[in-house]
Amino acid sequence: KMADHDQGAVTLYSGTAITDAAKKNHPFSVKVGLAQVLRGGAVVEVSSVNQAKIAESAGACAVLISDPPRSPATAGVQRMPDPALVKEVKRAVSVPVMARARVGHFVEAQILEHLAVDYIDESEIISVADEGNFINKHNFRSPFICGCRDTGEALRRIREGAAMIRIQGDVTRTGNVAETVRNVRRVMGDVRVLNNMDDDEVFAFAKKLSAPYDLVAQTKQMGRVPVVQFASGGITTPADAALMMQLGCDGVFVGCEVFEGTDPFKRVRSIVQAVQHYNDPHVLAEMSSGLESAMESLSLLFYYTPNLILAAIILTAVIGLIDYQAAYKLWKVDKFEFFTCMCSFFGVLLVSVPLGLAIAVSGSFSSQDLVACNPAKHCRIWKHPMDSDISVLEDTEKLISMRG
């Protein structure tokens, strides 16, 4: 319902009121209503058109476009996604499309709004453009999503115009949900404490949270944060998603790491079903079955990735140091020493440095022992070049004496 107010419009949200900022062209109540459409769903992060199609077919309520994951060594500054990718995804799917903009970078937000994305995520997960200021989200037509880690931060982002809150946890894509659980419990715990306060105590609590008093009072009246709140970070299984819902969230964000398994459709589908049936253990058990192999492959990928990167760096450096001509000469001179050198090299490269050094030392001692046991076979007597000249001179003198 809408009603006139001296500061703008008022919208009933679960039977209670949210006051608009005085922006007639971009009413906050409309943006909040658009965000409520996503309640009870899973937003899946995608980095390609194919992933977006998989997410849509699996039942995702929206897709969040991001750049493909990069290694920390080459990540650099992370910005909004490529506009060309945004256009391709929007043409390929019919579900709402979200895209990230850097914190404080209102020009990126303007570009994304021009591309007609359905929601803009002012994300602290990517690089920060303005360390002291957030975007004034009331100036935009598109609803904004903002991250938080506590109640005070959530209410401050709402005051700036966020129509949806993302309670953020782990951002390292390791599948660790502990930080997300801690932050969700912190927000829900503050709301419970606030509900049991007298009206006179709300002023001090608002000061403690560093949050606007009117929004703190509104949270107390509503018994919850005034806008839709999703959980994000480390949610990779149906059980994780159901846990967030039972803790009081309205939905979940799922990272693009779910596409690394052998059957991404099944994994996304299972999480979507878990969000919709989070209180039904029978459905949760069924959705969690058969995902172990996919999770194992994902865990192995993250376990071996640092070692693979390090091995690539070592191989690149070592190849440039190999002296092929010297190795060929060693092969011609002493094949045993060449064999020892190769064994030592591959021992260091493929197994460990101590093993390679042990092979080199033992091979060297074995070579010396062979020489000591059979010096006639392994030692070469050097012949001075003048020896041949002396022998020629002696033969000439003998020939002269015979003719004489």
Side-chain angles (χ1 to χ4, degrees):
K1 298 178 180 179
M2 301 290 293
D4 292 335
H5 194 276
D6 56 351
Q7 292 183 349
V10 175
T11 297
L12 291 182
Y13 182 105
S14 301
T16 50
I18 297 178
T19 302
D20 270 342
K23 291 288 182 182
K24 301 297 185 181
N25 295 331
H26 314 302
F28 183 66
S29 55
V30 174
K31 300 175 186 178
V32 172
L34 291 173
Q36 290 186 55
V37 175
L38 303 177
R39 295 181 69 183
V43 179
V44 180
E45 181 182 352
V46 300
S47 57
S48 68
V49 175
N50 184 49
Q51 291 180 357
K53 290 180 178 179
I54 293 174
E56 181 184 28
S57 61
C61 67
V63 294
L64 173 62
I65 305 174
S66 65
D67 283 331
R70 294 177 289 179
S71 65
T74 61
V77 177
Q78 294 180 292
R79 302 178 175 86
M80 71 174 189
D82 188 337
L85 176 61
V86 175
K87 293 178 181 178
E88 291 176 1
V89 172
K90 280 190 65 65
R91 286 194 296 264
V93 299
S94 58
V95 296
V97 173
M98 304 178 179
R100 287 181 175 138
R102 285 179 283 174
V103 170
H105 206 311
F106 53 85
V107 175
E108 285 189 349
Q110 292 170 358
I111 295 172
L112 293 175
E113 186 172 69
H114 175 74
L115 295 172
V117 298
D118 299 286
Y119 302 88
I120 300 174
D121 186 353
E122 187 180 12
S123 180
E124 74 284 359
I125 298 176
I126 58 178
S127 303
V128 175
D130 190 335
E131 297 180 351
N133 301 281
F134 282 77
I135 298 172
N136 182 2
K137 291 163 272 291
H138 294 291
N139 292 334
F140 290 83
R141 178 178 62 256
S142 301
F144 269 76
I145 305 163
C146 285
C148 76
R149 285 178 168 79
D150 54 56
T151 310
E153 188 177 6
L155 296 179
R156 291 193 296 272
R157 300 292 84 80
I158 295 172
R159 167 59 71 227
E160 296 162 359
M164 179 176 173
I165 288 299
R166 167 175 41 79
I167 304 177
Q168 187 62 50
D170 177 62
V171 297
T172 59
R173 305 179 188 274
T174 59
N176 186 0
V177 80
E179 186 178 353
T180 309
V181 171
R182 180 170 61 250
N183 294 339
V184 169
R185 285 192 177 277
R186 182 184 296 125
V187 172
M188 302 304 172
D190 288 342
V191 172
R192 286 193 296 270
V193 170
L194 185 60
N195 289 338
N196 295 323
M197 284 185 176
D198 295 333
D199 292 340
D200 296 338
E201 299 174 317
V202 176
F203 292 97
F205 194 68
K207 184 177 181 180
K208 177 183 177 182
L209 295 178
S210 300
Y213 167 76
D214 60 328
L215 288 180
V216 175
Q218 193 173 346
T219 301
K220 172 178 168 57
Q221 179 187 4
M222 297 172 62
R224 55 160 295 149
V225 173
V227 300
V228 174
Q229 52 190 7
F230 274 44
S232 174
I235 301 170
T236 56
T237 67
D240 293 339
L243 174 62
M244 297 299 111
M245 299 299 292
Q246 292 192 29
L247 288 175
C249 294
D250 297 313
V252 298
F253 280 83
V254 182
C256 60
E257 59 267 23
V258 295
F259 293 101
E260 301 293 342
T262 56
D263 191 351
F265 173 84
K266 183 177 181 179
R267 293 193 60 197
V268 176
R269 181 65 178 171
S270 64
I271 293 174
V272 170
Q273 290 294 313
V275 170
Q276 297 174 355
H277 304 278
Y278 61 91
N279 273 328
D280 190 338
H282 174 73
V283 174
L284 296 178
E286 184 179 352
M287 291 298 102
S288 300
S289 301
L291 297 177
E292 189 64 27
S293 59
M295 294 302 298
E296 286 180 358
S297 63
L298 182 63
S299 300
L300 290 173
L301 172 68
F302 287 117
Y303 179 80
Y304 287 110
T305 295
N307 293 335
L308 291 173
I309 295 173
L310 180 60
I313 294 173
I314 294 174
L315 284 173
T316 303
V318 167
I319 289 175
L321 298 176
I322 297 176
D323 190 344
Y324 298 99
Q325 294 182 352
Y328 177 74
K329 291 180 179 179
L330 182 61
W331 165 260
K332 298 294 287 183
V333 172
D334 193 329
K335 290 180 175 55
F336 183 82
E337 290 287 348
F338 176 82
F339 179 74
T340 302
C341 179
M342 290 296 101
C343 291
S344 175
F345 172 76
F346 286 107
V348 171
L349 188 64
L350 301 177
V351 184
S352 66
V353 174
L355 177 64
L357 292 177
I359 293 174
V361 172
S362 59
S364 178
F365 278 113
S366 299
S367 176
Q368 296 298 322
D369 291 340
L370 290 174
V371 172
C373 294
N374 194 356
K377 181 178 179 181
H378 294 277
C379 293
R380 296 181 176 87
I381 300 176
W382 181 71
K383 187 175 182 180
H384 195 280
M386 291 298 294
D387 290 347
S388 59
D389 298 335
I390 294 174
S391 61
V392 171
L393 181 60
E394 292 177 349
D395 293 341
T396 304
E397 291 179 347
K398 289 180 180 180
L399 181 59
I400 295 174
S401 61
M402 290 174 62
R403 290 182 178 179

